[in-house]
Amino acid sequence: MCLMSDQAVFRRKSMSMLEAETRQELHKYCRSWRRNGQRIALVPTMGNLHAGHLALVKAARGLADRVISSIYVNPTQFGKGEDIERYPRTLEADRLALAQAGCDLLFVPDIETIYPFGLENAVMIGAAPDLSSTLEGQFRPGHFDGVVTVVARLFNLVSPDVAVFGEKDYQQLLIIQRMVDDLAYRIRIHAVPTVREHSGLALSSRNSYLDKSQLETAQYLQAVLRDTATRAGEAGVELSVLEAQAAIQLREHQLAVEYVSIRRAQDLATPNDNDQDLRILAAVRCGKTRLIDNLKINRACNSGG
Ligand code: PAF
């Protein structure tokens, strides 16, 4: 029987995008695509989609025959005091945007689908300690355990050939890549560069919490990081001095600094003089809103001064 005739189970919500809520619905679609030899790309999201997410979907289109995007606001990655109820939910608009971006299937599971034995009894996965205990991990303890736990579940449910994540959450990207390598998932992780406003502000669902004057303030996060990244690229500079200066500049712009740090891009370790592939990462609070950003640094070789 043709899959699409089963209207009670599968619904075409908009244009040609399919939608699944349960494991069974999802598996039926995935099975039929695989039978036809089609490759599947997964774009996991928590919804409230913006152009950054849609860039992930567009990248996914070029990597596989079918694109599945999931929208699931994952409770296990929210810490105490992080209000999951306040997280913006915009399913109707997200549905339309995903369909227009060329998503084939939207997976919108409920909590029982992702955590069938309940949150209390869920098997949790631990993010790699070396990557997850630093930077974001110091300010959001347990956050990355929740991320890898839900991403592993999505990987197991979809079995994608490739999964697409944004560089905006650079630490998350490294942690997910490590999970794939360590647990031997046969899934390629594809990273997509951060999409920015004209002002340079990285697109984020949290930007919707900022008022007009905070939006102006927030753009200094990227401006300071860009300036620091340029200076860090020069040979012989003291990175700790640059970090301290960046923190001062951010505070001068009324951004409350949680961290601003230059790390080795591959593993977030403190760089030594010979490391050339670096990343500057920062988290600040603009009013009550927490913003993160990061930029690549190409450092000139330091050997020989
Ligand atoms: O980056 C996000 O939106 C989330 O952390 C993710 C990867 C969808 C897991 O919930």
Side-chain angles (χ1 to χ4, degrees):
M1 189 173 73
C2 164
L3 279 178
M4 283 312 300
S5 68
D6 193 352
Q7 294 295 336
V9 181
F10 304 127
R11 291 170 293 282
R12 279 185 183 271
K13 287 283 182 183
S14 53
M15 291 193 220
S16 58
M17 189 173 72
L18 304 163
E19 192 161 322
E21 289 171 10
T22 65
R23 293 180 173 200
Q24 291 75 8
E25 290 170 1
L26 179 71
H27 286 155
K28 275 199 186 180
Y29 281 115
C30 291
R31 258 203 311 271
S32 103
W33 289 337
R34 292 208 179 286
R35 263 202 305 270
N36 293 331
Q38 296 183 316
R39 287 168 52 81
I40 297 173
L42 173 66
V43 182
T45 81
M46 298 210 298
N48 192 228
L49 304 182
H50 50 64
H53 296 108
L54 302 180
L56 305 183
V57 174
K58 283 174 196 154
R61 280 245 60 91
L63 297 168
D65 305 294
R66 297 290 183 172
V67 176
I68 299 179
S69 185
S70 58
I71 294 183
Y72 180 67
V73 183
N74 172 39
T76 61
Q77 69 187 78
F78 286 77
K80 287 196 183 75
E82 295 181 346
D83 191 357
I84 186 170
E85 298 311 324
R86 198 175 158 237
Y87 196 86
R89 286 155 173 91
T90 53
L91 187 56
E92 279 308 315
D94 292 349
R95 209 176 250 141
L96 197 64
L98 284 171
Q100 283 169 349
C103 177
D104 294 295
L105 169 65
L106 169 59
F107 180 44
V108 269
D110 60 14
I111 192 160
E112 287 78 24
T113 301
I114 295 295
Y115 297 104
F117 295 91
L119 287 176
E120 295 291 304
N121 299 315
V123 174
M124 293 291 295
I125 300 190
D130 57 332
L131 294 176
S132 66
S133 57
T134 185
L135 303 172
E136 286 299 284
Q138 292 202 308
F139 292 87
R140 304 184 70 190
H143 166 69
F144 288 120
D145 293 342
V147 170
V148 291
T149 294
V150 76
V151 170
R153 284 159 191 263
L154 291 168
F155 282 0
N156 293 338
L157 289 169
V158 175
S159 291
D161 299 279
V162 54
V164 183
F165 295 89
E167 285 183 354
K168 158 82 176 15
D169 295 298
Y170 187 76
Q171 190 173 4
Q172 169 175 282
L173 179 66
L174 290 188
I175 285 170
I176 290 169
Q177 181 64 66
R178 174 71 72 79
M179 178 186 80
V180 163
D181 295 340
D182 204 21
L183 300 186
Y185 277 104
R186 295 172 66 179
I187 298 171
R188 182 177 145 215
I189 301 300
H190 180 85
V192 173
T194 303
V195 178
R196 297 180 180 280
E197 305 274 8
H198 283 305
S199 67
L201 177 65
L203 294 193
S204 162
S205 300
R206 290 166 188 241
N207 294 355
S208 63
Y209 300 143
L210 302 172
D211 64 26
K212 198 158 169 280
S213 94
Q214 287 173 330
L215 275 171
E216 278 173 25
T217 304
Q219 69 191 9
Y220 288 106
L221 173 56
Q222 187 266 359
V224 170
L225 293 190
R226 185 160 298 287
D227 178 50
T228 310
T230 306
R231 292 166 61 206
E234 292 157 13
V237 290
E238 193 61 60
L239 297 181
S240 58
V241 173
L242 293 185
E243 289 170 344
Q245 288 172 346
I248 291 169
Q249 286 169 22
L250 289 167
R251 286 189 194 108
E252 281 169 359
H253 290 294
Q254 316 309 322
L255 293 167
V257 179
E258 287 190 351
Y259 62 82
V260 51
S261 191
I262 297 171
R263 299 293 178 95
R264 202 155 66 182
Q266 74 197 52
D267 59 6
L268 303 178
T270 304
N272 64 41
D273 285 348
N274 297 321
D275 290 319
Q276 290 178 260
D277 189 7
L278 309 181
R279 205 97 194 172
I280 181 165
L281 305 101
V284 297
R285 282 190 186 272
C286 181
K288 285 191 176 149
T289 305
R290 192 168 185 277
L291 302 172
I292 60 169
D293 202 350
N294 70 87
L295 287 174
K296 188 177 166 59
I297 299 171
N298 289 314
R299 189 157 62 151
C301 190
N302 268 352
S303 54

